[in-house]
Amino acid sequence: MLFSRSSGEEANQFHADVTEGHTGASAPESQSAGKEQTLNRIDKGKSTSSVIDEWLSITGNLQTDGDVLVNGKIHGDVRCKLLIVGQQAEVEGLVVADEVVVRGAARGVIRANRVRIEKSARVDSEVFHRALCVEEGAEFVGMSRRSDDPVNELASTESQSAALQEVAEKMKKSGSKPAAASKSGTDKSAAVA
């Protein structure tokens, strides 16, 4: 899926990067091959790539099995295979991906196996990662935590949270209330001599 008015150089580079399986620079002659390989991936039902152009602003969640290049703004959660946040782009929300490359602004929580924060990036996030690279000159405010499985840990946390919410809803419906904690300063029976 391509959300772009033009086939700009950065979009072409993104397609070349994705089809070659990396996010580094590639030779110009591989760009046309990259487009062809991307079209072949679409035809074979494999994951594809999407470009959110600079004129586009999305409020809401974005989920795909493919790769996403953001040059615009996203205010919501993003789940994808590879996320590249362009230099002028902004992403605010939870990001869950196999790999994340930030060149622009990111705020929220990032959970990815590999995270690269480039020198032009402005990141204010909690970053859960297996591998992290922060280039000199990047603005990084927040915390990073190494994890063996940062993507799937979230699924476990989400299921625990959903189970707790379900219990709370059942308790509301049944009228039962959780036991209240007593204040030790006013409850003399709780005092120990």
Side-chain angles (χ1 to χ4, degrees), residues 13-27 30 41 67 82 84 99 101 103 114 116:
Q13 183 62 48
F14 173 68
H15 288 293
D17 290 345
V18 168
T19 55
E20 291 176 18
H22 64 84
T23 55
S26 61
S30 68
R41 286 170 49 179
D67 307 317
L82 164 67
I84 299 176
E99 183 174 0
V101 177
R103 298 175 181 146
R114 290 175 308 282
R116 190 168 77 217

Side-chain angles (χ1 to χ4, degrees), residues 164-176:
L164 287 173
Q165 276 185 323
E166 188 177 314
V167 168
E169 288 298 319
K170 285 180 183 177
M171 290 175 76
K172 271 186 186 177
K173 288 179 183 176
S174 70
S176 29

Side-chain angles (χ1 to χ4, degrees), residues 85-139:
V85 180
Q87 285 187 345
Q88 303 304 314
E90 294 178 20
V91 174
E92 184 174 343
L94 170 67
V95 172
V96 180
D98 183 50
E99 183 174 0
V100 175
V101 177
V102 183
R103 298 175 181 146
R107 285 180 296 284
V109 176
I110 298 173
R111 288 186 165 275
N113 290 318
R114 290 175 308 282
V115 178
R116 190 168 77 217
I117 301 173
E118 296 189 353
K119 64 183 174 185
S120 58
R122 297 164 319 280
V123 176
D124 185 358
S125 290
E126 291 181 78
V127 180
F128 297 87
H129 57 85
R130 189 178 298 162
L132 173 67
C133 173
V134 180
E135 290 184 357
E136 184 177 348
E139 293 178 30

